Structures are given as C-alpha cells and as structure tokens.
Amino acid sequence: YSSSGATWDTQFHGVWHLDEAGGPYSDSTSNRLVGVQGGNSSVAGVLAGGQYFDGNNTRMDITNATSPALDMGVNFTFSAWVAFDGTTVSYNRIASRKAIWCDATGFDLRLEGNTSLYMYCGSGVTAANFVPSWTSHAWYYVAVAVNGSSVSFYRDGVLQTSSVGTMAPVVDNDLSLTFGYDPHHDESTWNGRMDEARIQQGTASPNWIWASYMTMASNSMFSSYQIQTGSTSTAATLHGIPYTWLQSYGITNTNDSVETQHMSGHCLTVL
C-alpha cells in the first residue's frame, strides 16, 4: 500500500493501516490525519500489523479535530476490521466523535450487549442490530454506510440490515475522532483489536463494500495474475515487463500481456 497520499481518491478522508509499532499512526490520504497513541499497543492484524485496545481507556486519537477533512456531513462510510476480545460488555466503542452518546452532533459507533452494533447520530437516535451473533476473538470487516437519516450495516462485505428514516442526520463538530474510546465522556472503551480503518465521503455502494472486503480477505479469489500463453519465456510483455521477473513470483505462463482477472475470468486490467 502507499502512504504518500497519491493512491487514495479524495473521497477518502482518512485511511489508517495501523501497523505502526508505537505511533504516531499515519493517515495514508493527503489529509494527514495522524493518530496519537493512547495506551493501545501493536498486535497481529488482518493485513499486517493492527492495534490492541485493552478495554481500560486505551485509545487512538486523531487530534487535529478542526480539520475540514473530519467534517463528513450527512453522507459518509466508515469501515474497519475489528475483533472483540471481551466476554461481557455493556458498551464498547469502536469510533466516536461525540461528547456523549445523546449529543446533538457527531457520530458514535459501538458494540452493545455483546451482539448488536449501534450507530448513534444526530440527537442520539439509533440505527441498530448489525450482528445477531458476535463471536468473541473473531475478526470481522465492519462497514457502516450513512445516508442522511438511513444507515446500512455490513459484515464481511454482506449487507446485514438497513435502518431507513429513523436517524437524525449527522451534524459536524470540532471534537477529535477517537478509536476505541470516548475521551469526552470518559466511558465505554473497546476491548479488542482493530486494523485498516477508513472513513470516506459519500455512501459506498454494496458492490464497493463487497469488493473492499474481498481485496483484503481473499485477494487471490477476487483477483488473479497470469501471463497468457503464446510467447517465449525469454521475452517481455508489451509494456516491458520481463517474463523471468514475473516467473520469479510464480507466474509461469507466457504471452505479450499480463492481466489482472476477476475469478470469473473477466479482465480488469491489462498491464
């Protein structure tokens, strides 16, 4: 992945890979919303490294709270890999930008009662029940798409439930965005792990969320790389990629082009 900001479209306001050992935690977009360590620690993640929050007020703060990049408006999508490691919980916050759960501004995403994922927006009205059975210690890819007064919850790329017309739209504020805790109200910390958190402008489509999940969970199923038959192993592709270099990565067919293919066989990219 890239950390220069050039890879991510401007719709992405923050992308945190979370593989740093002790902070600061880089934002891979050009907005540079850097995270500050608050007792969290490095742990094995889904993609590479992730972060562990022990449920005792540990957190990661995005401290440049007044950045316009954090003003998401009424349409945005939050996603992250999360694993809950606790056994009993009332409220476990994944991410928060509220002073208190019923505050009239900001948003708050948390797991309640071990099973239900809630998004609090606007005046604290909720859209709920995302995961009917949340297995302790298991990794889930969680995506929450907010579209005005409606919210759609996804687990592992699949839509679980939608709440339409039941929420007050998000109103921006200048509070910090915090992962794993609500420092403004000093309560409800995340007991578990987190990896690859992203927040983007607009309501991501179901296909986009599924594709995002697949590229991280099983990229070999989503995309495969091959050299088609029809040329010699001493040649190079039309774009100058030597077959010997490709073969060193286990790509042994030969042809004048290298293709990225969907598992159904449709070509996505010709290199």
Side-chain angles (χ1 to χ4, degrees):
Y1 55 79
S2 170
S3 60
S4 68
T7 296
W8 299 95
D9 188 274
T10 55
Q11 70 174 313
F12 286 92
H13 286 207
V15 174
W16 299 272
H17 299 305
L18 302 180
D19 60 353
E20 293 89 345
Y25 304 98
S26 298
D27 168 21
S28 291
T29 75
S30 58
N31 293 315
R32 297 295 187 258
L33 299 174
V34 177
V36 176
Q37 185 179 33
N40 53 296
S41 57
S42 181
V43 69
V46 175
L47 303 184
Q51 295 300 311
Y52 172 66
F53 303 85
D54 65 6
N56 189 26
N57 299 347
T58 54
R59 63 185 186 267
M60 183 186 81
D61 292 311
I62 310 301
T63 56
N64 44 343
T66 59
S67 169
L70 284 177
D71 294 337
M72 302 307 299
V74 298
N75 301 317
F76 67 94
T77 303
F78 175 88
S79 64
W81 285 92
V82 294
F84 172 59
D85 294 338
T87 54
T88 302
V89 59
S90 295
Y91 309 107
N92 256 258
R93 278 190 169 85
I94 297 173
S96 180
R97 205 186 181 206
K98 272 184 174 290
I100 189 173
W101 71 273
C102 57
D103 189 19
T105 65
F107 68 92
D108 186 283
L109 179 64
R110 67 193 193 188
L111 179 68
E112 296 189 9
N114 294 352
T115 59
S116 300
L117 196 69
Y118 283 73
M119 172 66 89
Y120 288 79
C121 295
S123 59
V125 180
T126 66
N129 205 321
F130 163 54
V131 182
S133 178
W134 190 283
T135 303
S136 182
H137 301 285
W139 281 104
Y140 293 99
Y141 178 66
V142 170
V144 184
V146 179
N147 184 11
S149 61
S150 67
V151 177
S152 296
F153 293 103
Y154 295 80
R155 180 184 66 179
D156 294 344
V158 178
L159 177 66
Q160 302 295 304
T161 188
S162 294
S163 179
V164 179
T166 60
M167 295 183 62
V170 174
V171 178
D172 290 321
N173 57 36
D174 286 335
L175 298 178
S176 62
L177 172 62
T178 301
F179 295 92
Y181 185 53
D182 178 7
H184 311 292
H185 194 51
D186 191 28
E187 69 165 10
S188 306
T189 61
W190 181 248
N191 185 351
R193 293 155 287 157
M194 195 176 305
D195 193 9
E196 194 65 23
R198 303 173 183 176
I199 190 165
Q200 65 189 88
Q201 192 75 58
T203 306
S205 70
N207 285 343
W208 179 274
I209 292 172
W210 175 83
S212 298
Y213 165 72
M214 287 295 293
T215 57
M216 292 183 282
S218 185
N219 192 48
S220 62
M221 288 293 293
F222 181 72
S223 299
S224 63
Y225 303 87
Q226 69 178 23
I227 310 169
Q228 294 181 339
T229 58
S231 188
T232 65
S233 60
T234 59
T237 70
L238 290 174
H239 295 82
I241 302 174
Y243 288 131
T244 53
W245 182 84
L246 294 167
Q247 289 164 355
S248 70
Y249 286 89
I251 304 173
T252 57
N253 300 29
T254 57
N255 193 19
D256 290 332
S257 66
V258 182
E259 294 179 345
T260 304
Q261 291 187 325
H262 186 274
M263 55 187 174
S264 64
H266 300 299
C267 174
L268 299 179
T269 305
V270 176
L271 302 179

